[in-house]
Amino acid sequence: MSWITMAILIATAVASVRGLPAMAGYGWASIFLYVLPAIVFMIPVALVAAELASGWKGGVFVWVKEAFGDRIGFSAIWQQWMQNVVWYPAQLAFFASALAYVFNPALASNGLFTGLVILVVYWLSTFIAFGGVKSFAGVGKWGFIAGTIVPSLGLVVFALLFLSSGGTSELPPASEASFLPTWTGIASIVLIVSNFLSYAGMEMNAVHVNEMDKPGKQFPKAILLSAIIILIVFIFPTLAISVGVDSSSINLTQGVLQAFDVFFGQLGIPWMTTVMALLIVFGILASVVTWIPGPSKGLLLVGRQGYLPPSLQKTNKNGMQVPIMVVQGVLVTILAVLFAIVPSVQSVFWIFSAMAVQLYLIMYMMMFLAALKLRRSHPDVKRGFKTPAMGLIGWVGFFASLLALLIGFVEPEGSTMGQLGYTLLLVGGIVGLGIWPFIIYAFRKESWKVYADEEHTHSDEEAGVTDAAPDTKTAN
């Protein structure tokens, strides 16, 4: 695999238009708010995950297990899976908002409509995923092009056409603007934390690092190119939204279409907003269909090592982990009900987004600590790629994740829940969703391990290293 191909794979996994409205309200300062998390989080995640993936097969479960034991490793993969369960309703709330623009924009703020859309679309996507890779691979590829690339380019192009046709920009001239966010208290920067989730997923394609020629030289180049591509996809469309929509009027779920409304209204083609909404709808559907089997597959592989009951280890004729996906769907259904009973759709959208960020950040902190420890405890393990200045990069990534985690508990501006209620709901959700691997681990049985340990091969075996990690099951 060439380094350019790797860069495109990484950019495809990370780039999305869903989070653009949250940053558009910052105007020119959004550039800083995108670049900072990229430096202290996105790049460290990619580099550290590449080293771990080139030394240990099996993903975050094996990485953390080798460093801290199987109980903590199970917790890490659980957090990765669970954050996706929480992410689905937030992503599909954006889907519902785009769909509402096609029929009746007022429905976008209707919790019952949003909840029903989440349920119908999620279960439809799940049934598509039951069909196996052939059922969703093509949808994912074309969905990314139609639902991410086209709207992103469209925002920039039509913003320029809007300005050239006499439209008035809501974004002040760069010469008069501040490129740093205005400090009005810690709550004013809480939305910055959402950018960490925007960059999450860099570790997914790091598992392919061994397929590259000379990964030690090529992977850093791939990371640099992918970072540039991702920043371009994020920054310029965000500024385009700022051009069309006043910062005080930007809606977290409708901001992209608000901007298209302004641009197309000025250009005399208002019907084009519907076209863009349909493209975004298709793109989100494709991303959900693609992501539904992914993280749950990782949980299946772990479950087959004896961490889940045999009933959850079954697959259908297409090799899909149907029982786990059904459980996943039940959890999404429960979360979707909140959209119908909580008055503000935006509040629920932000809570789910924040909860997903928190769960993922916990996993990333485990990953950074595991990488730092394995450098010391397993220096002889053959690695196809070694992170330069691991001590610096690993600790920067860990403390950036920790800081983002702490800031994430602060109620964002515009929320009406109150700080105490917001924090308690977030903590309750994280504990309620994250405690289960420890409960399951405590009650696991030896008979649950009904499959051979084939998927998780330690690189020590390939490198001929005899002083591999101790049996972490007996250590716990």
Side-chain angles (χ1 to χ4, degrees):
M1 180 186 298
S2 71
W3 65 274
I4 294 178
T5 300
M6 174 63 81
I8 294 173
L9 283 176
I10 294 172
T12 300
V14 174
S16 171
V17 301
R18 183 178 67 88
L20 302 184
M23 288 297 112
Y26 290 97
W28 291 105
S30 64
I31 298 176
F32 170 81
L33 300 179
Y34 278 122
V35 172
L36 180 62
I39 294 173
V40 302
F41 180 74
M42 179 177 72
I43 292 176
V45 165
L47 292 175
V48 168
E51 173 169 330
L52 292 171
S54 69
W56 290 266
K57 296 180 180 179
V60 68
F61 167 71
V62 171
W63 305 341
V64 177
K65 173 186 174 183
E66 290 295 320
F68 302 115
D70 50 354
R71 183 189 289 108
I72 304 301
F74 185 25
S75 176
I77 187 64
W78 181 275
Q79 304 298 341
Q80 187 183 54
W81 172 67
M82 187 55 69
Q83 76 85 22
N84 278 278
V85 172
V86 179
W87 170 84
Y88 293 129
Q91 179 78 332
L92 289 174
F94 187 54
F95 177 101
S97 179
L99 187 65
Y101 255 79
V102 177
F103 302 105
N104 179 7
L107 289 174
S109 58
N110 186 302
L112 180 59
F113 171 79
T114 302
L116 288 174
V117 168
I118 291 172
L119 291 177
V120 172
V121 176
Y122 183 83
W123 282 105
L124 173 63
S125 301
T126 298
F127 285 120
I128 293 175
F130 285 168
V133 176
K134 291 183 179 179
S135 296
F136 60 79
V139 175
K141 173 185 176 181
W142 291 108
F144 174 75
I145 294 173
T148 298
I149 300 299
V150 173
S152 295
L153 289 175
L155 281 169
V156 176
V157 170
F158 289 112
L160 294 174
L161 292 175
F162 166 78
L163 293 174
S164 64
S165 65
T168 302
S169 175
E170 298 292 343
L171 185 67
S175 59
E176 302 175 6
S178 171
F179 284 83
L180 294 176
T182 302
W183 177 260
T184 58
I186 194 170
S188 65
I189 64 168
V190 171
L191 282 175
I192 300 172
V193 178
S194 67
N195 274 14
F196 280 72
L197 186 60
S198 297
Y199 292 127
M202 295 289 287
E203 77 281 2
M204 290 179 57
N205 286 301
V207 298
H208 302 300
V209 68
N210 284 331
E211 299 174 23
M212 302 177 70
D213 294 327
K214 300 179 180 178
K217 294 181 178 180
Q218 291 195 355
F219 191 74
K221 293 196 296 183
I223 289 298
L224 178 61
L225 178 58
S226 66
I228 293 172
I229 294 173
I230 292 166
L231 287 173
I232 289 174
V233 171
F234 282 160
I235 290 173
F236 290 102
T238 296
L239 293 177
I241 295 174
S242 300
V243 167
V245 187
D246 179 76
S247 60
S248 62
S249 304
I250 295 176
N251 186 293
L252 293 182
T253 57
Q254 298 173 290
V256 173
L257 295 173
Q258 282 180 301
F260 278 128
D261 258 345
V262 173
F263 300 153
F264 294 140
Q266 171 73 20
L267 297 172
I269 48 173
W271 53 270
M272 276 293 293
T273 300
T274 300
V275 174
M276 286 296 176
L278 288 173
L279 289 176
I280 292 173
V281 163
F282 176 56
I284 297 172
L285 174 63
S287 71
V288 172
V289 170
T290 303
W291 274 85
I292 281 176
S296 59
K297 178 68 172 180
L299 192 64
L300 171 68
L301 298 180
V302 173
R304 287 180 167 180
Q305 308 311 305
Y307 297 92
L308 292 177
S311 60
L312 292 178
Q313 300 179 27
K314 297 178 181 178
T315 58
N316 64 9
K317 63 180 181 180
N318 299 311
M320 303 308 296
Q321 54 282 3
V322 172
I324 292 179
M325 287 195 286
V326 169
V327 172
Q328 183 173 277
V330 171
L331 293 173
V332 171
T333 299
I334 294 172
L335 294 175
V337 171
L338 286 175
F339 277 95
I341 63 178
V342 176
S344 172
V345 171
Q346 286 202 77
S347 294
V348 180
F349 175 85
W350 173 250
I351 290 169
F352 282 159
S353 296
M355 198 177 296
V357 171
Q358 303 295 73
L359 291 170
Y360 221 169
L361 288 172
I362 293 171
M363 185 221 76
Y364 279 123
M365 287 190 290
M366 293 180 182
M367 186 187 79
F368 283 121
L369 291 176
L372 290 164
K373 182 176 180 180
L374 290 172
R375 268 292 185 96
R376 300 190 306 271
S377 63
H378 291 69
D380 296 327
V381 170
K382 183 179 179 181
R383 295 160 167 85
F385 171 81
K386 294 191 73 173
T387 302
M390 169 62 86
L392 174 62
I393 291 176
W395 284 115
V396 165
F398 173 81
F399 283 113
S401 301
L402 177 61
L403 180 60
L405 181 77
L406 296 176
I407 293 176
F409 287 108
V410 180
E411 184 183 23
E413 288 184 340
S415 173
T416 58
M417 295 182 61
Q419 179 62 67
L420 180 60
Y422 179 82
T423 301
L424 288 177
L425 180 60
L426 202 54
V427 171
I430 292 171
V431 173
L433 297 173
I435 198 174
W436 288 100
F438 299 99
I439 296 175
I440 295 172
Y441 185 90
F443 289 95
R444 76 194 191 288
K445 301 177 181 179
E446 186 63 29
S447 60
W448 287 5
K449 188 174 182 178
V450 295
Y451 290 84
D453 189 1
E454 297 175 349
E455 290 88 355
H456 304 295
T457 303
H458 197 291
S459 64
D460 287 349
E461 298 169 4
E462 298 178 350
V465 178
T466 58
D467 58 341
D471 185 351
T472 50
K473 285 187 180 180
T474 58
N476 285 275

